[in-house]
Amino acid sequence: MLEVILALTPILILFILMVLFHVPAVKSMPFAWISALLISIFYWKIKTAVILASTAKGILVAIELSIIIIGAIFLLEVVKQAGMIKKIDSLLKHLSH
């Protein structure tokens, strides 16, 4: 049971800070990361190199997802500016009838 509580601690910290106290994610996330870091080091005895590698991988995955989202938003804006949304909408309405 202790392991479950410790594993949920960073998520609970985020929930409390963001939902109950309305603290922005930019300020809340470091507290959750620090709590996960401390629990990993002191309770699970995970090596620092593994923690740093996991953190680096998490940052790289976040960058990759951000690039995908920015690309999707850019493509949506290009399609809107070209007037293709209305054409796609009418095509889909025509196909559904």
Side-chain angles (χ1 to χ4, degrees):
M1 186 66 178
L2 177 64
E3 287 86 7
V4 173
I5 294 169
L6 288 173
L8 290 175
T9 298
I11 297 168
L12 292 173
I13 288 172
L14 279 179
F15 181 81
I16 291 167
L17 289 175
M18 293 178 71
V19 176
L20 300 180
F21 293 110
H22 304 288
V23 178
V26 173
K27 294 181 180 179
S28 300
M29 290 293 183
F31 289 106
W33 180 79
I34 289 170
S35 69
L37 175 78
L38 294 175
I39 292 167
S40 299
I41 291 171
F42 294 114
Y43 184 77
W44 281 295
K45 309 287 189 233
I46 297 176
K47 294 180 182 176
T48 308
V50 174
I51 295 171
L52 292 176
S54 298
T55 300
K57 183 176 181 180
I59 291 169
L60 292 174
V61 169
I63 290 170
E64 182 180 2
L65 289 173
S66 297
I67 290 170
I68 292 170
I69 292 169
I70 290 169
I73 292 170
F74 176 74
L75 180 62
L76 177 63
E77 290 301 316
V78 168
V79 170
K80 280 183 184 178
Q81 292 293 324
M84 294 301 295
I85 294 289
K86 291 179 183 175
K87 290 180 183 178
I88 292 170
D89 184 47
S90 67
L91 176 66
L92 289 175
K93 286 180 183 175
H94 177 71
L95 289 175
S96 65
H97 285 106

